[in-house]
């Protein structure tokens, strides 16, 4: 059986703590739900922020809800370079000692001493998916993506198993461009 | 024998025709040699240009010399998106029907109706290298790059054989970031 997985490209985005949401948008503010994402409970927000680093600014960056215990900024390595930030490759939530930046909305801003990462490529799946594919949580796999001019096999792909997940591989825009991914591109777990 | 190859990252750059050099810098102008590149006869120039597309501008872009019969702009897919240009994956020199952009220096500019490409990944080698590795010109190979968190195998890599070449694989910044390449990173031809 070919172990197929939908490959989704994560554009740069931020997850904000409620403290940071209130510092940027006002006391008691709730983010506005715009669109559900593939992972259940996750959503894109109407609100946008600017990311400011020592070398540059990226405007109009997506916020993903709901609020999290700590703010986290996920950028591509290309973005990190243009911002002038050293952002390590990390799994979501593993932000200790990661990159620093300023998050701004209009004239309000918050300083993140850490939280800027380049997301480690990963596959979300349910325990049923994992059993069907013969995989376990935290397993490292390879995924081949076949395209017209940029066929590529990603190594170091982390499998993440949780009943609340939906089956999808997440890569950043650099990785997506390197494999010429398009909406609907499927990968095969080797 | 492991078929090793140095992996070099090509940052965005332009090659200019003499006509465009003169339109941008003045009649009879010669580009200023700054630094030799790994490929014999190719060099980085002191002069820089801006690239202007429908959605954005990228400033301070490297010019590679010497002058070529036709101008060619090599960007990453990330760059193409920020410029708002549709740039196909192409081998150098194959620019028919490729992307359009404006190249500017101060208040002078030239319109390129075509010439903007995302370079197809490739390996330069001499006939001696090719014989040693058992490869031929235009052969498509796979190259594995091992890194700490982003090991990756590039498919669709074109071998280009010419006595004037030096052995090196060239990838763009998106591809380099996807594999976490650093100066001196070596790939293995599979």
């Amino acid at each position: 059986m070919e172990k197929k997985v939908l490959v989704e490209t994560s554009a740069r985005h931020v997850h904000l703590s409620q403290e940071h949401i209130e510092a940027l948008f006002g006391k008691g503010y709730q983010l506005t739900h715009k669109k559900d994402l593939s992972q259940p409970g996750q959503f894109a927000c109407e609100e946008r922020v600017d990311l400011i680093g020592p070398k540059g600014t990226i405007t109009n960056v997506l916020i993903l809800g709901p609020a999290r215990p700590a703010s986290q900024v996920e950028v591509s390595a290309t973005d990190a370079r243009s911002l002038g930030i050293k952002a390590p490759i990390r799994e979501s939530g593993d932000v200790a000692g990661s990159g620093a930046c300023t998050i701004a909305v209009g004239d309000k801003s918050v300083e993140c001493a850490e939280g800027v990462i380049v997301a480690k490529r990963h596959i979300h799946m349910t325990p049923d998916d994992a059993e069907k594919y013969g995989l376990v949580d935290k397993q490292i796999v390879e995924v081949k993506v076949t395209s017209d001019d940029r066929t590529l096999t990603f190594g170091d792909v982390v499998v993440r198993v949780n009943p609340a997940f939906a089956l999808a591989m997440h890569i950043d825009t650099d990785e997506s461009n390197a494999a010429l991914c398009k909406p609907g591109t499927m990968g095969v777990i080797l």
Side-chain angles (χ1 to χ4, degrees), chain A residues 14-98:
Chain A
V14 304
H15 303 276
L16 295 176
S17 66
Q18 186 59 32
E19 182 194 341
H20 283 171
I21 292 168
E22 298 195 7
L24 294 169
F25 297 102
K27 192 159 170 57
Y29 194 87
Q30 297 292 316
L31 293 170
T32 314
H33 180 293
K34 184 180 179 186
K35 195 178 130 186
D36 282 327
L37 301 181
S38 67
Q39 296 309 308
Q42 302 294 304
F43 56 92
C45 301
E46 291 284 357
E47 296 83 356
R48 300 278 177 140
V49 297
D50 297 338
L51 301 178
I52 305 170
K55 285 195 179 172
T57 296
I58 299 176
T59 60
N60 204 34
V61 175
L62 190 64
I63 305 173
L64 299 190
R68 289 200 179 184
S71 291
Q72 178 172 299
V73 176
E74 297 182 41
V75 295
S76 68
T78 295
D79 291 338
R81 190 183 176 93
S82 71
L83 290 166
I85 292 171
K86 286 200 176 182
I89 312 283
R90 292 282 183 86
E91 286 191 65
S92 185
D94 176 17
V95 298
S98 60

Side-chain angles (χ1 to χ4, degrees), chain A residues 135-147:
Chain A
L135 299 169
V136 296
D137 190 41
K138 300 191 198 307
Q139 190 167 343
I140 304 297
V141 297
E142 288 190 309
V143 176
K144 181 167 187 173
V145 175
T146 301
S147 63

Side-chain angles (χ1 to χ4, degrees), chain A residues 1-5 7 120-123 125 133-136 138-146 152-159 169 171 186-190:
Chain A
M1 176 193 63
E2 227 180 19
K3 298 171 186 176
K4 288 192 175 179
V5 58
V7 180
K120 191 171 169 73
R121 48 202 179 219
H122 58 275
I123 304 173
M125 61 176 70
Y133 282 180
L135 299 169
V136 296
K138 300 191 198 307
Q139 190 167 343
I140 304 297
V141 297
E142 288 190 309
V143 176
K144 181 167 187 173
V145 175
T146 301
L152 191 153
T153 301
F154 292 106
D156 290 324
V157 182
V158 187
V159 172
M169 176 170 171
I171 58 176
M186 301 297 289
V188 176
I189 303 170
L190 302 182

